């Protein structure tokens, strides 16, 4: 198909086979390492080991883009059991981000749980327990929704899982923001555009895709009502002849008049391209196409229908 015009927003969701956990985790860890965010030990990345409180805290602060500030700070902490992580603990303690396990111990060598790390990264993405976004008990399920990855099925939490979650954080838009966390850190010169692109390539290289679902959120506007641009794009899709392994779902709206026989003037509707034909799905869309809730409802409708996982 030729270039699709700007009146259509494309969201491409891919159904992927899952590579081995070890290979996948290694790719996530290597990508983060390229960005200067994830370090190994004398024993390599140690992806099967449970991360410590200190390691989880350091990763959270790096995802927050605070490392350079931490290196320059002179903050102190009251704990007598910190080592290499002391500057990070001092910064986080001073900012009210973290507490110790008691008055004089931070407990940096203690293991971190999946709930704890999910709570950390949700705060990085602008979500808050105090504002009612999530609780400690719901952190894993809420993070799964925010990141677009099912973490509720994780059998154990290890450094490999931490690397995987952290990679998804970089490809996720924080609450009420347009840029992803990775794009924001790139703009702050935490790492380069080339580095981010290389990391993303590593994160994707192990995925083998059995099929794909292309979501088209079409706000027709006067480009359709006056010029029939959406209809032209629809015809291009038909000519592209998607394979049986490719599903195309379309939601329309935002225009008074369509220049085709499929769509109802002034209405918002949902369709599926099937063997070169447009099949209409029953829908009762009441909100405007420009309302973010309308797009969110489209994504909520399609995900259980096609069991998709979002790849950013």
């Amino acid at each position: 198909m030729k270039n699709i015009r700007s009146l259509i927003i494309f969201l491409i969701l891919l159904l992927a086979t899952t590579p081995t956990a070890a290979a996948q985790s290694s790719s996530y860890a290597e990508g983060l390492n390229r960005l200067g965010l994830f370090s190994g030990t004398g024993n390599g990345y140690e992806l099967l080991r449970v991360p410590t409180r200190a390691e989880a805290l350091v990763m959270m602060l790096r995802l927050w883009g605070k490392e350079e500030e931490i290196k320059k700070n002179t903050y102190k902490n009251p704990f007598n059991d910190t080592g290499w992580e002391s500057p990070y603990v001092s910064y986080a303690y001073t900012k009210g981000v973290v507490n110790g396990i008691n008055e004089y111990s931070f407990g940096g060598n203690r293991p971190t749980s999946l709930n704890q790390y999910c709570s950390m990264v949700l705060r990085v993405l602008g979500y808050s327990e105090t504002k009612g976004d999530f609780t400690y008990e719901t952190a894993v399920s809420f993070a799964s929704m925010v990141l677009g990855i099912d973490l509720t099925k994780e059998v154990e939490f290890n450094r490999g899982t931490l690397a995987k979650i952290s990679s998804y954080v970089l490809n996720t838009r924080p609450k009420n923001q347009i840029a992803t966390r990775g794009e924001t850190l790139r703009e702050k010169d935490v790492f380069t555009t080339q580095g981010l692109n290389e990391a993303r390539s590593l994160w994707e290289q192990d995925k083998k895709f059995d099929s794909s679902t292309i979501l088209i959120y079409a706000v027709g506007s006067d480009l359709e009502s006056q010029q029939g641009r959406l209809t032209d794009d629809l015809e291009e899709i038909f000519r592209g002849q998607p394979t049986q392994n490719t599903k195309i779902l379309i939601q329309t709206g935002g225009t008074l008049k369509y220049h085709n026989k499929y769509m109802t003037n002034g209405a918002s509707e949902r369709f599926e391209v099937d063997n070169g034909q447009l099949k209409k799905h029953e829908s009762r869309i009441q909100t405007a196409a420009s309302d973010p809730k309308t797009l969110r409802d489209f994504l909520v409708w399609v995900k259980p229908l096609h069991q998709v996982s979002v790849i950013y």
Side-chain angles (χ1 to χ4, degrees):
M1 290 184 284
K2 298 179 180 178
N3 293 332
I4 302 299
R5 299 173 180 85
S6 60
L7 77 161
I8 292 179
I9 300 174
F10 273 96
L11 300 117
I12 300 179
L13 307 179
L14 301 176
L15 293 171
T17 60
T18 304
T20 63
Q24 193 176 41
S25 297
S26 178
S27 295
Y28 289 124
E30 183 62 30
L32 292 171
N33 181 264
R34 296 280 184 93
L35 297 175
L37 303 180
F38 190 85
S39 301
T41 68
N43 297 317
Y45 288 134
E46 292 190 88
L47 298 178
L48 299 180
R49 176 171 62 78
V50 176
T52 64
R53 271 170 52 88
E55 291 168 339
L57 173 65
V58 170
M59 178 56 72
M60 179 189 72
L61 293 174
R62 286 173 175 170
L63 292 174
W64 232 325
K66 301 297 184 182
E67 183 143 46
E68 287 304 312
E69 184 178 349
I70 290 169
K71 290 179 179 179
K72 298 175 183 177
N73 84 70
T74 56
Y75 300 130
K76 303 295 182 182
N77 69 72
F79 310 122
N80 56 24
D81 63 341
T82 57
W84 65 272
E85 76 275 19
S86 185
Y88 300 91
V89 175
S90 296
Y91 178 89
Y93 179 79
T94 302
K95 298 295 183 179
V97 174
V98 71
N99 293 311
I101 57 175
N102 59 49
E103 187 176 0
Y104 297 110
S105 299
F106 173 66
N109 289 327
R110 292 197 176 191
T112 305
S113 70
L114 179 59
N115 281 72
Q116 289 171 333
Y117 193 62
C118 284
S119 297
M120 289 180 175
V121 298
L122 285 170
R123 294 175 200 136
V124 170
L125 292 171
Y127 297 95
S128 169
E129 298 104 312
T130 58
K131 294 181 179 179
D133 292 323
F134 69 96
T135 65
Y136 177 79
E137 289 73 19
T138 64
V140 176
S141 59
F142 189 71
S144 296
M145 181 180 68
V146 170
L147 300 176
I149 177 177
D150 189 359
L151 298 172
T152 62
K153 296 180 181 179
E154 292 291 337
V155 177
E156 61 181 80
F157 182 56
N158 52 36
R159 281 169 55 89
T161 308
L162 179 143
K164 180 178 181 179
I165 293 172
S166 302
S167 301
Y168 271 78
V169 168
L170 293 177
N171 280 334
T172 299
R173 295 174 178 83
K175 183 179 181 180
N176 299 326
Q177 294 187 27
I178 297 175
T180 65
R181 188 68 201 140
E183 290 166 346
T184 299
L185 294 179
R186 180 195 61 196
E187 291 170 1
K188 292 181 178 181
D189 295 325
V190 174
F191 40 71
T192 64
T193 298
Q194 179 180 348
L196 182 57
N197 290 338
E198 289 177 354
R200 284 172 169 167
S201 295
L202 283 166
W203 298 335
E204 296 299 325
Q205 70 180 7
D206 287 325
K207 294 182 173 61
K208 298 178 181 178
F209 300 107
D210 290 333
S211 60
S212 62
T213 300
I214 301 176
L215 306 187
I216 302 177
Y217 187 80
V219 182
S221 71
D222 58 357
L223 292 176
E224 170 62 19
S225 61
Q226 296 181 17
Q227 303 176 40
R229 295 289 186 87
L230 172 58
T231 297
D232 292 342
D233 292 329
L234 185 63
E235 291 175 353
E236 285 191 16
I237 291 171
F238 290 157
R239 290 196 297 270
Q241 297 181 342
T243 67
Q244 292 182 348
N245 292 330
T246 300
K247 299 289 185 181
I248 299 179
L249 301 178
I250 304 171
Q251 178 162 315
T252 62
T255 191
L256 297 176
K257 180 181 179 182
Y258 293 99
H259 291 259
N260 61 66
K261 62 182 180 181
Y262 306 103
M263 299 166 186
T264 306
N265 290 339
S268 295
E269 299 169 306
R270 290 169 180 162
F271 302 87
E272 178 176 351
V273 178
D274 185 13
N275 293 324
Q277 300 295 320
L278 203 61
K279 174 185 175 182
K280 183 182 292 188
H281 283 263
E282 182 179 355
S283 59
R284 298 178 181 178
I285 305 167
Q286 303 296 325
T287 50
S290 58
D291 189 334
K293 182 179 183 299
T294 310
L295 175 57
R296 183 170 63 250
D297 289 346
F298 179 42
L299 297 176
V300 169
W301 169 76
V302 74
K303 190 165 186 178
L305 184 66
H306 288 268
Q307 293 297 306
V308 297
S309 56
V310 181
I311 308 299
Y312 295 93

